[in-house]
Amino acid sequence: MAKYTCTVCHNELSGDIFTLSCGHPFHQSCISDYHESQSDAACPTCQTPITETAPLLSQTAGEQQAKEESRLCKYSVALILPTACFAVKKKHYSNTIASDKMISRPVSTGDRLKRLRELMANPRYNVNAYIVPSEDAHQSEYVASCDERRAFISGFDGSAGCAVITMDKAAMFTDGRYFLQARKQMDENWTLMKRGMPGIPSWQEYLVDHLPEGTRVGVDPTVIAAPEGEKLKKALQTKGSGGDLVSIEENLVDKVWGPERPSQPKNEVFVQEMKYAGELHTDKIARVREAIKKEGVDGLVISALDEIAWLLNLRGSDIDYNPVFIAYVLVTQSDVTLYIDEGKLTKEVREHLGAISVKPYNEIFKSLVEHSTGLLQSKRQFFVGTSASWALVRALGADNVKTGLPPVTPLKAQKNAAEIEGMRQCHIRDGAAMANYFGWLENELLNGDGNLQLTEVDVAEKLEGFRRAEEHCVGLSFTTISAVGANGAIIHYSPQRGSDAKMDTSQMYLCDSGGQYLDGTTDVTRTYHFGEPTAWQRECFTRVLKGHIALDSAIFPNGTSGYALDPLARLPLWELGLDYRHGTGHGVGSFLNVHEGPQRIGMSKSTVDFGLHPNMTITNEPGYYEDGNFGIRIENTCVVIKVDTPHDYTGGSGFLKLDPVTMVPIQKQLVLPELFTDKERKWLNSYHQLVWEKVSPLLEKGGLGYEWLKRETAPM
């Protein structure tokens, strides 16, 4: 069932709750305190007065859910589908829309910070500052609920950010995608540091250059990457006497969190079928061994969860929206060892693993310490990726480690034929779900009573239902960004029931969503207007689309970096002095993480080092965001393909282009024809013709989705 939050405290509801006659839910204690503190108390969501004529109604969370489903029944028939978990071959894959992952009011953090500072001052730790990164022990972008330490201590739950707490300050460093969200979610105890803006230091610069000499900075060594830890330690030590980065193995935020901290996930792992994987895991291991042999090392430590899942042809559900499981892998020329909670392994998985050894999860550190002696004596090394934790490198010993891009990363990034075909097919089915969704939504807004009645969460849940109805769909690939009007300007906005906006035909609507399918992962963004857009909105949309088409149409040499390609998508916006504060493209996993590297398109330093190669996946997603007004983004997932050219200046490596696999129309109504060239018009018509040919056979002829798709893909 969907999770609901108290309208007063915004925490998840459980057990007995109360609602007003308006239907909005409260905890009993919250509504009592709220009523007593307000002389003319009214529902914070809809302002219904709390009076004798609006009595409190005691309900269980289940009864409240039933009432909500009844209210939405005409809109959300898909809510009868299981959303708490979805069985994949009797294995649970949990990734429903969860309100506790969405934007909410500020969390009161004063007491949490007070207790953390008391621990920092304890002679056992004796640190003046403490770092709380977003990442877990595997440097994951998205983490299990038990590892959401930065969100717990600050209230800000965006996927990127780093908290630095000193004895008198608390600073949150995040990028432009999250400026508005962080400002809304953090209370007065926090200072927002807008990374990338003029005069704003990075969190590392802040620790080294803006704190007093001799500052002792504490960190859990498992949640900071080794290169970052070593670099910061050296900088602090050289700045002044007594300065240091202190490794604290007991995570101090966990101690503040106490018994309320969620437990480690214990979900079962399952085998990915060969028809989807396309290559035996034993063959993948052989290729990895060849790669580490070329590196001149004796072994490889793998800590990235998607790399472990890919290598072993296994999938899991330890992290919402990401079909991965928490583990480590150690590969040598003679052995492969999987470090995992053994209770997650079924008989089928153990048979699949064959000769691969299995050890308890935390024994990785003991194993590395044991290997370190032999490596030191033989002057040999293990390869450890640059994103591996400081704790792993400390266990091996820095002299025993060679770092760089892990060999698994580029192998995983270049998809095999089965993975490419899976990506194409799942995007066609995903396109059918999107057509059914937008056909339904348009009808409800224009012909039904959905306008100013349906909310952002209502329609996001409906979209989830359409996706889950498609073959091989096991859930979402990330929390749906369903954003009306000004909410669309919050780049990674996600709505929360009770505070979400109403759908409004006078406003722009941005929908960024994706699904996890057994044969692939989808990620698509479309921006629509169901009424009369302004000329300015149309011009902004047209310029974003022109940038999208320019990048899609580009032909470039094999190995070209995303840094070199990025300006193609921004030039039409730059002509007006406009831009957007996010990258233009990221890799997408094959029934794995929706964000995958090393390939990226953007202006950051990380996009310079790695080029695009055949059979990689990459998104094309320029945008424009006007704070307080609207947001625009147009995103297709693409496969990088080879193209024939009359000449080959590269000497044999060839030329490439992006081939979109996303099959969802782009709204023609928002295009200003006078800004379009004949070439751009031809591109749009050709793309829409392809969408119609691929998706229409999957739709019910004459149905809302079919008729919507037919109209939206008609030539411009």
Side-chain angles (χ1 to χ4, degrees), residues 112-113 115-117 119-120 125 130-137 143-154 165 219-223 248-264 361-362:
R112 297 173 185 181
L113 290 170
R115 286 183 283 152
L116 177 60
R117 287 171 175 139
L119 288 169
M120 291 162 58
Y125 308 114
Y130 192 71
I131 306 169
V132 186
S134 303
E135 293 78 14
D136 59 10
V143 300
S145 56
C146 60
D147 292 320
E148 293 178 337
R149 300 179 178 95
R150 191 213 61 219
F152 168 78
I153 201 66
S154 70
I165 299 96
V219 70
D220 176 349
T222 66
V223 298
I248 301 176
E249 294 185 5
E250 297 176 283
N251 192 289
L252 299 189
V253 174
D254 290 352
K255 295 177 76 67
V256 173
W257 211 339
E260 295 181 358
R261 180 183 175 229
S263 59
Q264 287 276 357
Y361 173 72
N362 282 319

Side-chain angles (χ1 to χ4, degrees), residues 364-385:
I364 181 67
F365 299 102
K366 178 182 176 182
S367 294
L368 295 182
V369 170
E370 291 171 351
H371 278 289
S372 65
T373 303
L375 290 171
L376 194 62
Q377 291 174 348
S378 63
K379 296 184 178 180
R380 300 288 293 174
Q381 294 178 314
F382 275 2
F383 195 101
V384 176

Side-chain angles (χ1 to χ4, degrees), residues 497-545:
R497 186 172 295 287
S499 62
D500 52 334
K502 303 285 188 183
M503 298 298 296
D504 186 345
T505 56
S506 69
Q507 301 288 330
M508 299 276 272
Y509 174 60
L510 186 153
C511 183
D512 186 348
S513 65
Q516 289 287 7
Y517 297 82
L518 294 177
D519 51 353
T521 302
T522 71
D523 184 3
V524 52
T525 308
R526 289 294 183 265
T527 306
Y528 283 92
H529 200 299
F530 297 99
E532 293 295 329
T534 66
W536 175 241
Q537 289 172 335
R538 294 183 71 191
E539 175 159 6
C540 293
F541 182 91
T542 305
R543 290 184 177 274
V544 171
L545 179 53

Side-chain angles (χ1 to χ4, degrees), residues 93 136 138 140 264-272 303-319 322-329 338-341 344-345 349 352-353 361 592-593:
Y93 186 84
D136 59 10
H138 305 269
S140 306
Q264 287 276 357
K266 298 184 180 295
N267 303 325
E268 290 182 351
V269 175
F270 59 95
V271 178
Q272 185 189 32
S303 60
L305 302 184
D306 61 334
E307 294 184 356
I308 293 169
W310 175 85
L311 179 67
L312 301 181
N313 286 349
L314 296 175
R315 297 294 186 268
S317 58
D318 283 350
I319 296 177
N322 298 272
V324 297
F325 50 93
I326 296 173
Y328 295 100
V329 163
L338 171 65
Y339 298 85
I340 191 172
D341 179 346
K344 298 178 179 181
L345 305 182
V349 171
H352 168 80
L353 290 173
Y361 173 72
L592 273 176
N593 298 358

Side-chain angles (χ1 to χ4, degrees), residues 700-714:
E700 179 184 354
K701 204 164 187 178
L704 291 174
Y706 183 93
E707 293 302 323
W708 177 86
L709 186 74
K710 184 177 180 180
R711 187 191 71 239
E712 292 297 317
T713 57

Side-chain angles (χ1 to χ4, degrees), residues 385-398:
T386 51
S387 65
S389 73
W390 195 29
L392 289 173
V393 171
R394 285 166 60 88
L396 263 177

Side-chain angles (χ1 to χ4, degrees), residues 646-710:
H647 307 283
D648 187 2
Y649 180 80
T650 66
S653 60
F655 284 77
L656 311 173
K657 76 176 303 293
L658 306 187
D659 184 28
V661 295
T662 297
M663 294 288 126
V664 182
I666 297 166
Q667 191 178 35
K668 301 188 295 291
Q669 179 191 353
L670 278 167
V671 176
L672 281 178
E674 58 267 30
L675 290 181
F676 246 31
T677 66
D678 289 341
K679 183 178 178 181
E680 289 164 340
R681 185 176 291 102
K682 181 179 179 181
W683 182 95
L684 187 60
N685 287 338
S686 296
Y687 175 69
H688 280 162
Q689 179 63 28
L690 180 64
V691 171
W692 171 254
E693 291 172 357
K694 296 288 187 181
V695 176
S696 62
L698 278 62
L699 301 173
E700 179 184 354
K701 204 164 187 178
L704 291 174
Y706 183 93
E707 293 302 323
W708 177 86
L709 186 74
K710 184 177 180 180

